[in-house]
Amino acid sequence: MEFGLSDDQRMLQESITRFCRERITLDSVRAQCGSGSCRDPALWQELVELGIAGILVPEDAGGAGLTLFDAILVCEALAYTAAPVPYLGSAVLAPLALTRSSGDWQDQLRQIASGKLQVGFGLTEAVSRREDAGVRPQGGKALFVMDAAQADALLLGTIDNQLIWVDASAADVQPLATIDQTRDCSLVTLHGQPGTVLANGDRGAALIRKLIGVARVALAADMLGSAQAMLDKAVAYSLERKQFDRPIGSFQAVKHLCADMAAHLEPCRALTWYAAHSHSAMPDEFALMSCHAKAHLAEVGSFVAKTATEVHGGMGFTDLLGLHYWFKRIGFDRQFLGGPELVRAEAAQLQGYC
Amino acid sequence: MRLEFTAEYENFRAEVRAFIRENRRFTAGAWTDVDGRPSVAAKRWQAMLLERGYVCRTIPKQYGGFGGKPDALQSYILDMEFAAAQIPRGLANQGISMLVPTLLEHGDAEQKATWIQPTISGEVIWCQGYSEPGAGSDLASLTTTAREDGNDFLINGQKIWTSSAHYSDMMFILVRTEPNVPKHAGISYLLLPMTTPGIEVRPLATMTGRSEFNEVFFADVRVPQSQVVGRRGGGWNISRTTLQHERGMLGDPGRALQTLTAIAKFMHTETVNDVRLMDSPVYRDRLLRLQARAQAMQFHGLRLLTHAARGEDPGVARLIVKLNGTELNYDIYAFAVDLLGEIGTLYGSPSPYLKSKGSWQTGFMFSLGLIIGGGTSQIQKNIISERGLGMPREPKPATSS
């Protein structure tokens, strides 16, 4: 029994983390976000060269053929530096969707692995349908479609549980500016239902639920990395910042805020690992565990986001310090694909409580 | 990540299960005598477990232990299998969990030869004489003194929170033997028979209405100076070993999930306004919140187990267990009481309306004691921030006595 990362996973985590910490600075994040679109194509290209776009693409299509557990370790590392890259759609959801769909998708998978094909995804209405949104046979709107702005193709879930693959040029993609400028969200409008049906009926419903679970675990890992960044920054700040003739980190109140953050956050690591691992190893548990991971990280993440900002005092509230990029990343992750109450209700249902 | 055990460990699990199946009948009957001491049945069970190394596995054979190597995974399998079978895990008392490891590390040959075997067999019961009314979180400020008198010490003072003092044979006690040195340097660790004249044990009533603990008063209690463990004035460091072990004891994440399962069960049957508790989305949401926390802590425990098996120090991850476990436990019992509503306030007398013999109410109160005991949550947060996050230690006062 070994509950932890394998040597390969540790190496993967270390290499992506080291790359991100050297390559991505607050200034670079701020510059990319300031341009109104959160994209950093050069950064994405370098990450593609490190192999992360092909992480879930089967080896026979030029990918690494790894598991969701490996993929979310990358999510955590990217979040730690608030990397503005379209990883979730292209590298995580698209390969998993295509390898579970009928038809020959080898070309597309190859292109995904080489970074040449970017994919956005819209599953929001399958979780929290609002404002009369939803893709119907005659067309419709999909809200909060992620990674669509530069996408070549879109993965969308329809009202009647079809998972469709749409060429981006056949859709009307408008930016939806959210609080998290490091991620790319769009409003996608379809006229009719162009594209290919990857799965429908019961299979479509099941595949959509599976992809939602996958995305939720990825979001949990994103919250984990973001929260860890905020905690680390809070501790570091408290050791530097002096008031009343001593570092503020020497005051017990501040120490206890940091201890609270660490105590709440640390078990989230094991929960996220287990949920990710269950995708391939214990598939019967995956739906429930992905709910637990998403909802719990949302609660803990929000707590750390608030508390870490408070430890930074007035500086935490400024744009200059840039701490808010992580506050907002966590804030977006909390809501996207189901806030904690909705997700917990789903978890109750999965266990037959209602 | 590999959640399965290797064949070697699965074989071990099979052996343990076979042992439990073949011998569980020996766990029937009263486990403690009227006075609180282990019953004959309990001691016989302990002997059976000692023989197989299912308890006291790493204690050397010469002291009655199994003489095995530490194996975190075997210990885990044993804990899980005994818990699943709902049978006693052996004797659990402070003598075994705290005194014996201390003697192994700091005792002299005679102390080890005299005390270890009778303690682990359950013949000798110990209580812990550490905390005092004036020395809890600040244990080093203790004032129970042991003044030299010939070849003996005379002990005067008071200890508190001494569970089992009323039936213990011996006490391991921290006393101040060196009067004119800084407070941490003046403490000695002594072994003291509870039959010594001058010791008075008084039950300490707590908020639960029971007296789970005692106060112990010392009036010129005579003990030979040879009863010091380690060196005179070295008691503070020796007690650090012991407290490390105590902190490991408090906080059992597997149990939290079991308690929640029991709660979910009564949520299915109990109603308020003709609505089943489980049909209330508000109560369900609260159940799921607690479930996620308990699940996270359980997996966290597995992660720590892996670090222990690898001999690695996981840093801050290890330091949060007591804090999280006790706070979660309290929140779970608080939820149970809230679910029961007014019925959850019944206490103290038999009533046809009392659920589970009032154990939710008692547990709710006792769980607050567990947050406070063994190092309060505030002390835990000091430790987490200082040792786990590298933040500055509490500033020393201007003068130290």
Side-chain angles (χ1 to χ4, degrees), chain A:
Chain A
M1 200 289 293
E2 288 228 334
F3 193 104
L5 305 184
S6 66
D7 289 339
D8 283 347
Q9 284 173 326
R10 264 196 263 236
M11 276 182 356
L12 170 67
Q13 192 181 51
E14 274 159 30
S15 74
I16 302 297
T17 301
R18 201 178 330 118
F19 170 82
C20 287
R21 290 188 200 193
E22 283 164 20
R23 173 64 174 77
I24 303 168
T25 63
L26 181 59
D27 284 342
S28 71
V29 169
R30 196 193 298 278
Q32 290 310 313
C33 294
S35 67
S37 60
C38 80
R39 292 180 293 286
D40 189 340
L43 171 62
W44 177 239
Q45 206 38 54
E46 289 169 54
L47 284 164
V48 166
E49 271 152 41
L50 286 177
I52 72 165
I55 197 164
L56 293 179
V57 172
E59 287 179 272
D60 64 13
L66 294 177
T67 66
L68 180 61
F69 194 175
D70 304 294
I72 62 101
L73 292 174
V74 175
C75 287
E76 184 190 350
L78 293 174
Y80 194 88
T81 48
V85 292
Y87 174 70
L88 192 47
S90 301
V92 181
L93 289 171
L96 285 175
L98 293 179
T99 51
R100 280 158 180 74
S101 301
S102 44
D104 178 13
W105 297 97
Q106 281 295 93
D107 274 348
Q108 285 84 355
L109 286 165
R110 248 177 228 297
Q111 289 176 58
I112 286 170
S114 64
K116 293 196 178 65
L117 178 62
Q118 288 188 38
V119 186
F121 70 95
L123 299 168
T124 301
E125 283 71 43
V127 176
S128 31
R129 188 165 49 82
R130 294 175 199 258
E131 305 294 332
D132 207 31
V135 175
R136 295 166 172 82
Q138 66 273 27
K141 293 184 191 313
L143 285 170
F144 301 101
V145 178
M146 195 186 247
D147 296 338
Q150 287 288 287
D152 306 289
L154 302 172
L155 260 177
L156 299 171
T158 70
I159 289 287
D160 53 350
N161 281 325
Q162 296 188 79
L163 185 68
I164 60 175
W165 175 272
V166 175
D167 199 289
S169 58
D172 179 35
V173 178
Q174 297 297 324
L176 261 180
T178 73
I179 197 77
D180 179 9
Q181 294 175 296
T182 70
R183 254 87 70 86
D184 157 32
C185 267
S186 302
L187 162 66
V188 168
T189 310
L190 292 184
H191 303 286
Q193 201 171 283
T196 314
V197 175
L198 296 182
N200 58 10
D202 288 345
R203 268 200 67 237
L207 185 51
I208 287 172
R209 294 315 321 160
K210 179 65 67 114
L211 292 174
I212 288 166
V214 166
R216 283 175 173 167
V217 178
L219 292 165
D222 195 275
M223 286 186 273
L224 182 64
S226 302
Q228 189 67 56
M230 292 191 80
L231 168 56
D232 291 350
K233 288 177 201 296
V235 172
Y237 183 82
S238 78
L239 299 180
E240 288 299 318
R241 168 74 174 177
K242 284 200 162 98
Q243 288 286 262
F244 308 107
D245 298 317
R246 53 183 172 122
I248 62 168
S250 68
F251 289 99
Q252 197 179 77
V254 177
K255 286 164 69 173
H256 283 201
L257 288 180
C258 294
D260 275 333
M261 286 191 275
H264 279 77
L265 189 59
E266 203 56 43
C268 291
R269 182 153 283 112
L271 180 62
T272 306
W273 287 355
Y274 188 92
H277 178 64
S278 75
H279 179 251
S280 47
M282 296 94 60
D284 288 345
E285 295 184 44
F286 180 68
L288 178 59
M289 289 302 156
S290 57
C291 284
H292 275 320
K294 171 68 155 80
H296 190 55
L297 264 296
E299 303 291 9
V300 173
S302 299
F303 169 73
V304 173
K306 171 179 183 282
T307 305
T309 305
E310 290 189 65
V311 170
H312 282 82
M315 290 306 293
F317 195 65
T318 66
D319 175 51
L320 177 66
L321 202 65
L323 191 65
H324 62 87
Y325 285 106
W326 286 271
F327 181 95
K328 290 163 179 173
R329 201 152 166 135
I330 290 170
F332 177 80
D333 289 342
R334 180 187 172 96
Q335 308 304 340
F336 187 56
L337 295 180
E341 292 86 353
L342 272 179
V343 176
R344 280 195 293 268
E346 215 177 294
Q349 229 174 352
L350 285 167
Q351 295 177 86
Y353 292 158
C354 51

Side-chain angles (χ1 to χ4, degrees), chain B residues 357-401:
Chain B
K357 301 182 190 162
S359 59
W360 298 111
Q361 293 88 310
T362 314
F364 172 57
M365 288 183 280
F366 198 76
S367 66
L368 183 54
L370 291 175
I371 286 177
I372 296 167
T376 66
S377 286
Q378 290 67 44
I379 293 293
Q380 300 302 326
K381 291 181 194 185
N382 279 0
I383 293 170
I384 290 165
S385 56
E386 290 165 16
R387 294 191 221 154
L389 302 177
M391 297 177 81
R393 298 192 73 109
E394 293 297 295
K396 293 247 174 280
T399 54
S400 118
S401 51

